[in-house]
Amino acid sequence: MAAWKIEGEYMETCNCAFICPCIGTNMEAVPSEGECKAAFAMRIDKGHMGDVPLDGVSFIVLLHSPGAMAEGNMKVGLIVDEKATDQQVEAIGQIASGAAGGPMAVLAPLVGEFAGVDRRPIVFEMDGMTRAVKAGDLIDQAIVGIPSLAEDGAPIYLDNTAHPANSKLALAKATRSHFDAFGITWDASGATPRNGHFAPFAWAA
């Protein structure tokens, strides 16, 4: 397997009520809705796998866990920006599945079903503490960070986590959260605030 390295920006929403119990229990808690549906969106600003450049490629890992994530049996699908070449899609598939090593390899034993790869135009937007990602008609999610009173203009962070994106995650609430892909559907509604996170990421293997 060729050596690889990617870095950029990550954001996610999930169906858990704010604050998601999974992070604080090392994935051992039952999600607040009894099951977890989450979309990890990654924008690669700089990266490569071997001689395949990955600069500017975005992808989304959509997952469903029927109970506590640590118990496994998760269903996972991958959405890659439609601008990516076949070589880039193959490289992202190896990275996102954990087959090429790196942080996602830790989650790989918990995946019971890989639902496939889809391609859509992915738009990843950032403005201060807001993040928004849209992938065609499959994903539409947006978050706003929770401001810290200890540091003006900065969010509250969770640190030293086991999350694959980054051990330090900004706390955020979802302002939109819609999934409809690979048989995983979710649409935030009602008064319950839903969970979100964002962070820079840097992966390599």
Side-chain angles (χ1 to χ4, degrees):
M1 185 66 64
W4 61 270
K5 181 178 181 180
I6 58 174
E7 59 186 63
E9 296 290 337
Y10 135 87
M11 67 88 74
E12 74 169 278
T13 66
C14 69
N15 67 325
C16 279
F18 182 81
I19 299 172
C20 172
C22 303
I23 295 290
T25 62
N26 293 314
M27 303 190 297
E28 293 183 354
V30 175
S32 62
E33 301 299 319
E35 60 179 353
C36 176
K37 298 176 181 180
F40 303 158
M42 321 293 288
R43 187 189 75 190
I44 302 173
D45 296 329
K46 183 178 180 181
H48 67 91
M49 173 176 273
D51 59 0
V52 178
L54 298 174
D55 299 16
V57 178
S58 294
F59 66 95
I60 300 168
V61 177
L62 183 63
L63 68 83
H64 171 254
S65 178
M69 296 180 75
E71 295 176 359
N73 198 29
M74 291 192 290
K75 179 180 182 179
V76 171
L78 176 64
I79 304 168
V80 183
D81 195 322
E82 68 177 12
K83 296 190 299 293
T85 66
D86 290 346
Q87 283 184 312
Q88 289 174 325
V89 172
E90 182 178 356
I92 295 298
Q94 294 292 314
I95 292 170
S97 67
M104 293 300 283
V106 177
L107 290 182
L110 303 177
V111 177
E113 177 186 354
F114 179 66
V117 179
D118 208 335
R119 301 194 199 192
R120 288 292 192 280
I122 297 179
V123 178
F124 191 122
E125 298 177 329
M126 295 174 47
D127 183 11
M129 286 200 293
T130 67
R131 305 286 188 276
V133 171
K134 190 169 185 179
D137 55 351
L138 303 183
I139 304 291
D140 186 9
Q141 59 181 6
I143 56 175
V144 59
I146 307 300
S148 170
L149 296 179
E151 183 178 352
D152 187 38
I156 295 172
Y157 290 103
L158 291 172
D159 205 353
N160 202 31
T161 76
H163 196 286
N166 193 320
S167 62
K168 183 178 180 179
L169 305 175
L171 279 176
K173 291 182 181 179
T175 55
R176 294 195 308 276
S177 186
H178 170 80
F179 316 148
D180 188 7
F182 311 111
I184 303 170
T185 59
W186 163 249
D187 195 66
S189 59
T192 302
R194 300 295 171 175
N195 195 73
H197 297 294
F198 63 90
F201 77 94
W203 294 353

